[in-house]
Amino acid sequence: MATSAIKSVLTRHLHASPGSKKIVGVFYKANEYAALNPNFVGCVEGALGIRDWLESQGHQYIVTDDKEGPNSELEKHIPDLHVLITTPFHPAYVTAERIKKAKNLQLLLTAGIGSDHIDLPAAAAAGLTVAEVTGSNVVSVAEDELMRILILVRNFLPGYHQAISGEWNVAAIAHRAYDLEGKTVGTVGAGRIGKLLLQRLKPFNCNLLYHDRLKMDPELENQIGAKFEEDLDAMLPKCDIIVINTPLTEKTRGLFDKDRIAKCKKGVLIVNNARGAIMDTQAVADACSSGHVAGYSGDVWFPQPAPKDHPWRYMPNHAMTPHISGTTIDAQLRYAAGTKDMLERYFKGEEFPSQNYIVKEGKLASQYQ
């Protein structure tokens, strides 16, 4: 059998066959907030701003926030959908079981960055294409990380709580408030977001370290003023502040367990806008309670949405929020445009930008291997 024929057997053909396609989008619901901003496109009501365009071409477009369980709205459409659009902010967990049921499924698109809510090996084995809008919200996340570093370093939240509760106790804030200047900040992962964060930290005159599977271009490394640390466990004790910027893979799941957190400097501050499952949930809560971790901030949890009894809601010295950093209005417009561009290419049978592929022709992108 010719190579091209073998490939067609293994891969569910990416090029859209003629006729109407069933496209399902899973987004968070905005309710009363939907009408407050015409550019609020990343919600169920906004539907990425592509409904009229899709329906004018004869396609069926179903949008829901109901994603969990056998009786969910998403589950009803799994057997006959062709394209599933998901987001990291309200992730539809695409399991091997769901992939097996989805006989017509060809394309899984992530409106944003990070496709770990999909069982990627199962998607690859089924010949599916998985793609995301690479670069769409990297600035948004890097800015948010910088904000969280400052919130923790300056002990901002206790002061805010005093202001709204009618208290005034400067000592209760100042005893653990510091300057960022002169502190050692290490990022675990220095991809697009990690590099942007390091560039934004440079004017603060910090000592910058990074751990990554790839060393930066020497010119960029010198320009940023960051030092490469090949050994993660050797880097951790040097850091006053640790920022997690690595994808969630089988190698990084639970990377920061009790033992690894114990290797960090006592009083370390941790910011994690990457993925919640990179951390051992209870180990983080215990370390915050003991004071080994002096502050923890991030917008990613596992699972999402986080249950009301999630330990991170109640641990001391945290500055957690729902998953918000990458879904600013600016980011939504970028990932909506990127999703539309890939759908257009899909309908025409054209290739996507190479950096957008997470799974292509049975192969996973390097960051997920």
Side-chain angles (χ1 to χ4, degrees):
M1 190 183 287
T3 304
S4 59
I6 294 170
K7 191 173 284 187
S8 68
V9 171
L10 296 175
T11 305
R12 298 192 197 183
H13 205 44
L14 174 59
H15 302 347
S17 51
S20 173
K21 294 296 170 192
K22 184 172 185 178
I23 299 159
V24 176
V26 179
F27 313 113
Y28 55 82
K29 214 165 190 177
N31 299 311
E32 69 272 24
Y33 302 103
L36 299 181
N37 191 328
N39 291 323
F40 195 173
V41 295
C43 55
V44 165
E45 295 84 350
L48 297 184
I50 57 175
R51 181 179 294 283
D52 291 347
W53 170 68
L54 285 172
E55 292 179 349
S56 72
Q57 297 192 37
H59 302 297
Q60 187 182 6
Y61 186 35
I62 293 153
V63 176
T64 183
D65 71 324
D66 184 17
K67 63 190 179 75
E68 302 295 342
N71 300 315
S72 65
E73 184 68 17
L74 171 60
E75 199 70 26
K76 292 176 195 173
H77 300 290
I78 290 287
D80 63 346
L81 56 78
H82 298 92
V83 179
L84 177 59
I85 306 170
T86 59
T87 79
F89 317 105
H90 187 72
Y93 294 105
V94 184
T95 60
E97 184 183 1
R98 278 180 162 171
I99 288 170
K100 193 175 179 182
K101 286 181 189 173
K103 302 298 184 187
N104 293 340
L105 181 60
Q106 295 174 331
L107 177 60
L108 288 159
L109 290 178
T110 298
I113 303 171
S115 298
D116 48 87
H117 53 282
I118 298 165
D119 186 326
L120 296 175
L128 297 175
T129 296
V130 182
E132 57 189 43
V133 191
T134 299
S136 59
N137 53 15
V138 292
V139 168
S140 314
V141 177
E143 285 185 2
D144 189 274
E145 288 176 341
L146 179 56
M147 174 190 73
R148 290 175 191 273
I149 290 169
L150 288 166
I151 282 171
L152 292 178
V153 169
R154 301 309 291 261
N155 204 25
F156 173 82
L157 278 177
Y160 169 73
H161 289 139
Q162 283 188 28
I164 59 175
S165 64
E167 297 176 47
W168 190 279
N169 186 345
V170 173
I173 308 160
H175 79 285
R176 47 183 294 157
Y178 297 89
D179 296 341
L180 182 51
E181 184 173 62
K183 302 300 181 291
T184 297
V185 184
T187 176
V188 182
R192 289 177 178 86
I193 295 169
K195 287 187 184 79
L196 285 171
L197 175 66
L198 291 170
Q199 287 170 332
R200 281 153 178 74
L201 283 167
K202 186 179 180 182
F204 287 88
N205 297 320
C206 303
N207 179 29
L208 302 175
L209 307 176
Y210 73 97
H211 169 77
D212 197 272
R213 58 195 180 86
L214 300 172
K215 200 172 186 296
M216 272 186 221
D217 174 76
E219 190 178 338
L220 178 62
E221 189 179 75
N222 188 53
Q223 182 188 344
I224 294 173
K227 184 189 171 197
F228 177 64
E229 293 278 342
E230 189 173 359
D231 185 340
L232 173 61
D233 289 336
M235 181 182 85
L236 295 179
K238 302 174 185 176
C239 297
D240 302 299
I241 301 149
I242 294 165
V243 187
I244 312 300
N245 274 313
T246 188
L248 176 62
T249 67
E250 286 312 305
K251 290 177 184 174
T252 63
R253 187 178 299 276
L255 180 67
F256 278 78
D257 56 11
K258 181 180 177 182
D259 292 340
R260 184 153 275 118
I261 291 171
K263 293 174 182 176
C264 300
K265 184 184 289 189
K266 181 173 170 53
V268 69
L269 303 174
I270 299 176
V271 171
N272 179 16
N273 279 6
R275 288 294 181 265
I278 293 170
M279 318 300 287
D280 179 313
T281 297
Q282 194 57 51
V284 170
D286 291 345
C288 284
S289 296
S290 73
H292 188 78
V293 171
Y296 184 92
S297 184
D299 68 336
V300 287
W301 312 63
F302 184 76
Q304 288 187 184
K308 289 186 178 179
D309 62 351
H310 196 291
W312 291 357
R313 292 184 185 271
Y314 308 104
M315 64 190 183
N317 302 315
H318 81 77
M320 293 297 297
T321 67
H323 197 168
I324 177 63
S325 64
T327 187
T328 62
I329 297 298
D330 301 289
Q332 288 176 43
L333 292 172
R334 289 191 293 266
Y335 63 67
T339 301
K340 183 180 180 183
D341 174 69
M342 285 194 285
L343 285 171
E344 281 185 302
R345 291 168 185 259
Y346 163 68
F347 297 140
K348 293 176 184 175
E350 295 175 359
E351 293 278 302
F352 298 159
S354 59
Q355 70 270 19
N356 287 9
Y357 285 108
I358 301 302
V359 175
K360 182 183 180 186
E361 297 173 351
K363 293 181 181 176
L364 273 67
S366 59
Q367 67 266 36
Y368 284 103
Q369 289 177 10

